[in-house]
Amino acid sequence: MGFIVKKGGFLTTVQDQGFIGYLQQGISPAGCADHQAFQIANYLVDNFEGEAVLEATIVGPVLEFTEDNVIAVTGGDLSAQLNGDPLPMYRAVAVEKGDVLSFGTMRSGCRAYIAFAGGLDIPVLFGSRSTLMRYKFGGPNSGKALTDGDVIRFLSPKASLPGMEERAVEPVDYSAREITLRVVLGPQDYLIPQESVERFLSSPYTVTKEMDRVAVRTSGEALNHIGNGTIVSDGLCIGSIQVPPNGQPIIMVCDYSTTGGYPKIATVISADNPLVAQVTPGTVIHFQSVDMAQAHEIYMEQYQKMCALERQMRALSEKEIRGEKMDKVFSISELQTLVKIVSANRIDELRYVQEGVELNIKNSKAASSAGQAEKANESPVVVAEPAPSPVSVTVVNHESAVTNAVPASMKFIRSPLVGTFYAASAPGEAPFVTVGSHVQMGDTIGIIELMKVMNSIPSDQAGVIAEILVTDGTPVEYGQPLMRLE
């Protein structure tokens, strides 16, 4: 099974990467407020970064496990305990049937994340298992927080993982009561007088009690407006800082409304959004201006650190799948990555043959999904997909007398952004890389356009481009494999 919720805590919900790509339908992204803690928790238990977790706010839940598994708790320190003893954070921990996970006093931050090896059996809606409480859908309880007596099943639990002692990282410290948030000014800072913009960047603002997954309200030196303090409603994003008529900045969090009618003086850079997610009433905020290039550089530094952590954790799980006549094999993580690509892109079948080894990955749901898409064009529908993946994998050795079949090692360059991928700097120009190109860490392999800004995408590892997985001018999602290296 999985676990029984003995106590739901103050606010405990199932979250993942959120509802990506539905802002135009008025659906907030939701997902984990602290994406950094969320990703780290999944890496520690050998999940993909997008696997669903529990997000516990202020007071955590009490969970009784009904099956052995491996868990990790990250984010804010809510005094996690296992069977009454302190549970180390930012570390993979094996739990057994009958064990009880609980939480005590909130020591730092306000949101903790609990990841479970193999994931949680939660229905998929709009490509996500997240809970969107303001719209009352998603998660295991139709948009509601976990309550006493809820039962959540594991998808593919693991009693242990390779390298358990090494599955740990330095905890992130959220104890500071005074923080600095780096922001990019705009897009409506021209509606704020210059003296107010300078005041915004030089004055402290204190987090009020009015804070949740939608927004964080602050209190400090009031900012003035040019005009009446309203605009024709336009799009918001995580980290948007609105200035309402009262002049007190409001920072948008993950459940924000898709549009807003107040001028946006600035936007918190992606790398600092985890700090916003962990503030508590009384936290003092200082805003520091950076330009777009600096924001991109900071983001890429953080992205590369996360990629390095993922590779470190994956390396611990390099178990092998062996056939009787194979001495070189695909690893579990390589197959997991290929299955993810097939499932996410609704590919009917992927067939890979090299040196006598044939790998077939078939997606039994791809065809039916295509049919549903055609019907959706005629009449909009919402399809809730079951959690288990409909993807099957078969490895066949065609050379029964040969023992040196050597499949290529699977390494991928992933998209660090959501946007449109371009292979060259301009139409008609030569692509940055082609199949066979040698790349070093930091070499530009393409461009992603996001909000009319062209972002160079550097390779986060060295190798030879073996396959380009996206075509020029196509939309890509965060984390989507762009190219395969060998």
Side-chain angles (χ1 to χ4, degrees):
M1 288 189 44
F3 59 81
I4 301 170
V5 180
K6 309 300 286 187
K7 293 183 180 179
F10 178 76
L11 178 66
T12 305
T13 58
V14 173
Q15 302 292 345
D16 57 16
Q17 80 280 358
F19 303 101
I20 299 173
Y22 294 96
L23 289 176
Q24 67 270 32
Q25 277 85 37
I27 298 176
S28 304
C32 293
D34 184 345
H35 267 253
Q36 177 178 267
F38 157 63
Q39 286 182 283
I40 293 174
N42 272 322
Y43 291 153
L44 290 173
V45 298
D46 203 35
N47 289 342
F48 286 108
E49 68 269 15
E51 196 62 70
V53 302
L54 295 188
E55 179 184 90
T57 304
I58 301 177
V59 178
V62 176
L63 311 177
E64 180 180 343
F65 294 98
T66 57
E67 189 172 2
D68 296 357
N69 204 351
V70 176
I71 68 170
V73 180
T74 62
D77 186 353
L78 306 187
S79 301
Q81 300 175 4
L82 185 64
N83 301 324
D85 296 323
L87 178 78
M89 294 186 63
Y90 287 84
R91 173 180 289 278
V93 177
V95 296
E96 299 179 349
K97 180 179 178 180
D99 284 350
V100 175
L101 175 67
S102 60
F103 294 82
T105 304
M106 181 179 70
R107 293 174 178 167
S108 67
C110 64
R111 292 184 172 95
Y113 294 86
I114 313 165
F116 307 85
L120 300 176
D121 188 3
I122 306 295
V124 176
L125 183 66
F126 294 122
S128 173
R129 294 184 172 91
S130 289
T131 305
L132 185 49
M133 297 182 64
R134 64 183 311 200
Y135 293 163
K136 298 181 180 179
F137 68 70
N141 294 331
S142 299
K144 298 177 183 177
L146 297 187
T147 58
D148 301 358
D150 284 344
V151 176
I152 305 294
R153 295 178 179 272
F154 296 140
L155 271 178
S156 181
K158 301 180 176 56
S160 184
L161 292 170
M164 285 290 290
E165 290 300 317
E166 299 173 74
R167 292 184 174 276
V169 296
E170 188 69 24
V172 179
D173 183 9
Y174 295 106
S175 61
R177 299 299 294 159
E178 192 165 354
I179 63 173
T180 297
L181 296 179
R182 292 165 290 188
V183 301
V184 175
L185 292 176
Q188 283 106 25
D189 54 319
Y190 63 89
L191 293 177
I192 308 294
Q194 183 59 35
E195 61 269 20
S196 284
V197 173
E198 293 173 0
R199 188 182 311 143
F200 168 75
L201 296 173
S202 61
S203 301
Y205 288 85
T206 303
V207 175
T208 72
K209 294 181 179 179
E210 297 179 85
M211 50 159 290
D212 55 18
R213 284 177 49 86
V214 176
V216 171
R217 288 183 177 270
T218 67
S219 176
E221 291 284 335
L223 306 178
N224 300 320
H225 295 83
I226 297 174
N228 62 5
T230 63
I231 60 171
V232 175
S233 293
D234 67 356
L236 295 173
C237 67
I238 294 175
S240 290
I241 303 176
Q242 291 185 297
V243 182
N246 69 2
Q248 302 298 332
I250 306 173
I251 309 171
M252 299 297 106
V253 193
C254 48
D255 284 0
Y256 64 87
S257 298
T258 56
T259 61
Y262 301 137
K264 294 176 286 295
I265 188 172
T267 303
V268 178
I269 67 172
S270 298
D272 286 353
N273 277 326
L275 295 176
V276 178
Q278 298 290 355
V279 298
T280 55
T283 299
V284 176
I285 296 175
H286 298 271
F287 296 104
Q288 176 187 339
S289 176
V290 297
D291 60 30
M292 189 69 75
Q294 290 173 307
H296 289 168
E297 182 179 353
I298 295 166
Y299 175 84
M300 289 308 303
E301 288 177 0
Q302 184 188 71
Y303 173 74
Q304 289 171 355
K305 287 179 181 178
M306 295 300 287
C307 287
L309 174 61
E310 180 184 21
R311 289 194 295 271
Q312 176 188 344
M313 293 297 112
R314 295 284 180 258
L316 299 174
S317 297
E318 289 301 310
K319 290 184 176 180
E320 298 179 336
I321 299 176
R322 295 184 180 271
E324 292 182 0
K325 302 296 183 179
M326 297 175 63
D327 67 347
K328 298 288 185 176
V329 292
F330 288 99
S331 70
I332 291 288
S333 62
E334 289 168 354
L335 288 175
Q336 287 176 330
T337 300
L338 288 172
V339 167
K340 183 179 180 182
I341 293 171
V342 169
S343 182
N345 293 281
R346 296 181 178 180
I347 298 171
D348 293 310
E349 180 176 0
L350 184 151
R351 184 168 177 265
Y352 177 83
V353 180
Q354 179 173 321
E355 300 186 27
V357 174
E358 177 180 334
L359 171 67
N360 286 311
I361 302 180
K362 296 183 179 181
N363 189 350
S364 62
K365 180 152 286 188
S368 61
S369 296
Q372 292 171 346
E374 291 178 4
K375 294 179 181 180
N377 289 331
E378 300 171 4
S379 176
V381 295
V382 174
V383 180
E385 299 177 347
S389 172
V391 179
S392 61
V393 180
T394 304
V395 179
V396 181
N397 185 358
H398 289 293
E399 300 182 11
S400 58
V402 177
T403 61
N404 63 346
V406 186
S409 178
M410 299 291 176
K411 298 190 298 181
F412 295 93
I413 300 174
R414 298 174 182 273
S415 173
L417 301 169
V418 175
T420 302
F421 175 83
Y422 293 101
S425 58
E429 296 289 333
F432 290 102
V433 294
T434 58
V435 173
S437 295
H438 291 256
V439 295
Q440 300 297 322
M441 184 177 294
D443 287 353
T444 299
I445 55 91
I447 289 175
I448 292 180
E449 179 187 4
L450 174 62
M451 298 178 66
K452 298 183 179 180
V453 175
M454 307 302 283
N455 304 278
S456 296
I457 306 304
S459 175
D460 60 355
Q461 53 195 307
V464 178
I465 304 295
E467 187 177 4
I468 297 176
L469 303 172
V470 293
T471 57
D472 190 56
T474 58
V476 294
E477 299 291 341
Y478 167 77
Q480 177 179 336
L482 302 176
M483 300 177 188
R484 179 171 66 83
L485 295 176
E486 60 182 17

